[in-house]
Amino acid sequence: MAILITGGAGYIGSHTCVELLNAGYEIVVLDNLSNSKNNSLDRIREITAKDLKFYQSDLLNKEELRTIFTKNNIEAVIHFAGLKAVGESVSIPLHYYHNNITGSLILCEVMEEFGVYNMVFSSSATVYGIQDQVPLSEKLPLQATNPYGRTKLMIEEILRDIYISNNNWSIALLRYFNPVGAHPSGLIGEDPNGIPNNLIPYINQVAVGKLTDLKVFGDDYATHDGTGVRDYIHVVDLAAGHLKALEKVMKVKGVDAYNLGTGNGYSVLEMIKAFEDVSGRDIHYKIVERRPGDIAISYADVTKAEKELQWKAERGLKEMCEDSWRWQVNNPNGFNSDINDKKKLISL
């Protein structure tokens, strides 16, 4: 029996593959490589000394998806595949709605056709939108404010409706906060196409001179230093959360949502300072205007995940920055970097 991981060559997907293989699962990866690299799969094999099956395919291709289910004895799906840039989703919303929602619908149709009812879905804290309280709990009303977040919210609602129609389904909706870091081996990490959308990869590229400075969007928020506060979680902790969610859906029917975060918030300036301390580099930044829709403070209430999944984030801010920096230095060109000479790998 195997676990199908859609989008498994991506940032969070690749780290989850490592956790699953190390836990003894057989995995099948589906990825269209639109925002990921095939090399990441070789790195996964190197870290774990285990093999995996890979299909370069797209969820929008129903016949290819059916072939994957026909050729493999799939018992559960961890569903990462989807477009994920908030700003881009505002520019091309139809593309996001079509890709993320239609792809998920096709996946669910094929799963039901083959009698596979266990799913862990990669959702997002963006489903909470703008709230007037923190920490953010799963009980809050949902109100996504951009097309990317709305695709996640719509898919959550679709999955709830599917369960109502067929109680054989067992689904965990995992709402991520801000994933950062990389595998401590330095072999896999975040490798964005073009200019990074997320804070730590951007800081990384400023630190190594690929970008000149970091834009800090606003310094007049009602926070201790005026910059936005977010809940940053190490990607290895996040991957471990998927393993715990998978264990739950394999045992208990139903559908439920869980926050995956640390329950702590750090400001942008705190993140810059922590990264400077680890890297020994000055991170040049400039304050620019706030982005529309950004909020002052966002961090997770993680009580439910701790209680029902027996999961808790273990890695702190220093480890997040160390592992991010190790990945960047060892892989200046991302997965296109040569890692054959292991003497190049730094340790911090």
Side-chain angles (χ1 to χ4, degrees), residues 48-346:
T48 63
K50 296 180 180 178
D51 201 6
L52 56 87
K53 285 187 179 180
F54 172 60
Y55 295 88
Q56 184 173 348
S57 186
D58 196 297
L59 288 179
L60 296 174
N61 190 325
K62 190 172 186 177
E63 288 309 308
E64 285 189 4
L65 186 59
R66 292 185 75 255
T67 298
I68 293 171
F69 274 80
T70 299
K71 290 184 176 181
N72 299 278
N73 192 5
I74 306 296
E75 62 177 336
V77 176
I78 301 181
H79 179 27
F80 292 106
L83 301 171
K84 62 178 185 176
V86 169
E88 184 182 62
S89 78
V90 175
S91 301
I92 50 174
L94 288 178
H95 186 46
Y96 269 69
Y97 286 122
H98 176 64
N99 184 86
N100 292 4
I101 296 175
T102 306
S104 297
L105 288 172
I106 291 171
L107 174 62
C108 290
E109 288 171 353
V110 174
M111 287 178 67
E112 199 158 48
E113 178 183 344
F114 283 83
V116 180
Y117 298 109
N118 302 317
M119 177 189 284
V120 177
F121 172 58
S122 168
S123 190
S124 167
T126 57
V127 300
Y128 293 115
I130 299 174
Q131 302 283 346
D132 59 3
Q133 65 182 77
V134 286
L136 301 176
S137 83
E138 293 89 347
K139 297 178 181 178
L140 289 170
L142 305 179
Q143 47 186 356
T145 57
N146 56 71
Y148 163 73
R150 280 190 278 272
T151 66
K152 293 296 188 182
L153 179 53
M154 288 177 185
I155 294 167
E156 282 198 14
E157 293 300 321
I158 289 167
L159 294 175
R160 291 185 186 278
D161 287 340
I162 289 173
Y163 172 69
I164 291 171
S165 72
N166 182 346
N167 293 160
N168 286 316
W169 283 88
S170 182
I171 304 168
L173 312 170
L174 301 185
R175 296 172 181 166
Y176 312 157
F177 278 69
N178 295 71
V180 297
H183 193 270
S185 66
L187 293 174
I188 57 173
E190 189 167 7
D191 185 15
N193 290 331
I195 296 176
N197 291 303
N198 298 325
L199 178 63
I200 291 297
Y202 207 115
I203 290 177
N204 262 330
Q205 294 196 12
V206 172
V208 296
K210 293 179 74 172
L211 296 172
T212 56
D213 51 48
L214 170 72
K215 294 182 176 65
V216 176
F217 296 98
D219 64 349
D220 57 351
Y221 286 104
T223 63
H224 63 279
D225 63 16
T227 63
V229 170
R230 297 292 182 270
D231 188 337
Y232 297 93
I233 176 173
H234 197 294
V235 66
V236 174
D237 281 330
L238 187 61
H242 289 76
L243 186 57
K244 290 293 188 180
L246 178 64
E247 292 170 357
K248 182 174 188 293
V249 301
M250 300 279 273
K251 295 176 182 177
V252 182
K253 303 297 182 184
V255 55
D256 218 338
Y258 299 95
N259 288 336
L260 295 187
T262 65
N264 300 304
Y266 295 99
S267 74
V268 175
L269 295 184
E270 285 176 325
M271 295 299 289
I272 292 172
K273 178 62 167 60
F275 199 89
E276 287 179 332
D277 290 344
V278 163
S279 67
R281 304 287 180 91
D282 291 330
I283 306 301
H284 300 285
Y285 67 89
K286 59 182 179 182
I287 307 297
V288 298
E289 291 184 358
R290 295 186 187 186
R291 291 178 299 192
D294 274 358
I295 58 177
I297 303 174
S298 173
Y299 60 91
D301 180 342
V302 294
T303 307
K304 187 176 179 183
E306 290 181 12
K307 180 180 178 181
E308 297 187 17
L309 300 181
Q310 287 77 56
W311 170 88
K312 184 177 182 178
E314 298 177 353
R315 294 159 179 82
L317 182 57
K318 184 172 183 288
E319 198 166 355
M320 297 178 202
C321 293
E322 284 179 344
D323 291 340
S324 294
W325 182 233
R326 182 183 299 107
W327 157 254
Q328 180 64 54
V329 172
N330 291 336
N331 302 271
N333 298 309
F335 284 111
N336 292 325
S337 304
D338 181 10
I339 61 163
N340 291 324
D341 181 4
K342 296 298 185 297
K343 294 180 181 179
K344 294 179 182 177
L345 297 179
I346 67 164

Side-chain angles (χ1 to χ4, degrees), residues 1-72:
M1 302 290 279
I3 311 301
L4 175 64
I5 307 176
T6 74
Y11 176 44
I12 303 171
S14 61
H15 288 82
T16 302
C17 287
V18 168
E19 295 300 309
L20 290 170
L21 288 171
N22 284 339
Y25 287 92
E26 176 187 347
I27 65 173
V28 177
V29 173
L30 178 154
D31 201 302
N32 66 6
L33 301 181
S34 64
N35 192 35
S36 57
K37 304 292 193 305
N38 191 22
N39 295 2
S40 68
L41 303 172
D42 294 329
R43 309 279 186 96
I44 292 167
R45 294 182 179 101
E46 183 169 355
I47 292 168
T48 63
K50 296 180 180 178
D51 201 6
L52 56 87
K53 285 187 179 180
F54 172 60
Y55 295 88
Q56 184 173 348
S57 186
D58 196 297
L59 288 179
L60 296 174
N61 190 325
K62 190 172 186 177
E63 288 309 308
E64 285 189 4
L65 186 59
R66 292 185 75 255
T67 298
I68 293 171
F69 274 80
T70 299
K71 290 184 176 181
N72 299 278

